[in-house]
Amino acid sequence: MTDVTNAESLPSEPQARRIVYCGKAITASLSTLSVDAQKRAQKDTLKKEARALAAETKSTEAKKAAKVLIKRVERNKRKYVTAVSGLEAHGLDLKKVAKEFGKKFATGSSVTKTASGGEEVVVQGDNSDEIFDWVVEVGGVPEANVDCVEDKKKKGGS
């Protein structure tokens, strides 16, 4: 009666196998190659490593040079909108940032397209100081790369 196996102990699906090759197996497969093939393989790996390193340094340089612009735009006499642009260069997802701003400041926020073809996060209200603090602390953007600008809409008169 103890021969009955518990259905919970048996896996219902086959387990995936992970194959790990040791260094000896890799060197053994390389030793079967001709000398010329070994040199080409080493040269290819060196080129790939150099490309990866160059791409990494290029992305870090682009992050250092990218500016985040926080604009406070006056809509009516006492109503303001804060627009934040340049966050995507620092690896931040604009939709997630807009949602975070909406929750943090209890206001409406959205991602809009600019006239120049880029995208920016627009937050209702004058939250430029708090957004500056969030971008530096949570966003990981250096303080020197963040600019705050106050912009007034021009009156459409004659």
Side-chain angles (χ1 to χ4, degrees), residues 69-140:
L69 187 64
I70 302 173
K71 290 190 292 189
R72 188 181 92 166
V73 181
E74 184 176 353
R75 285 191 321 147
N76 292 333
K77 293 183 181 184
R78 294 188 319 248
K79 305 278 183 176
Y80 292 96
V81 173
T82 306
V84 184
S85 60
L87 291 173
E88 64 274 355
H90 292 278
L92 297 172
D93 185 23
L94 294 182
K95 288 184 179 182
K96 290 180 181 178
V97 170
K99 192 164 190 165
E100 177 84 20
F101 286 164
K103 287 179 182 178
K104 183 172 178 66
F105 305 125
T107 62
S109 64
S110 63
V111 178
T112 59
K113 295 192 184 283
T114 60
S116 62
E119 290 184 335
E120 66 183 4
V121 177
V122 177
V123 182
Q124 292 179 0
D126 180 16
N127 298 310
S128 56
D129 296 333
E130 292 89 359
I131 289 175
F132 179 85
D133 294 338
W134 186 92
V135 167
V136 170
E137 293 170 7
V138 179

Side-chain angles (χ1 to χ4, degrees), residues 22-33:
C22 66
K24 292 179 183 178
I26 294 172
T27 56
S29 66
L30 283 177
S31 65
T32 60
L33 297 175

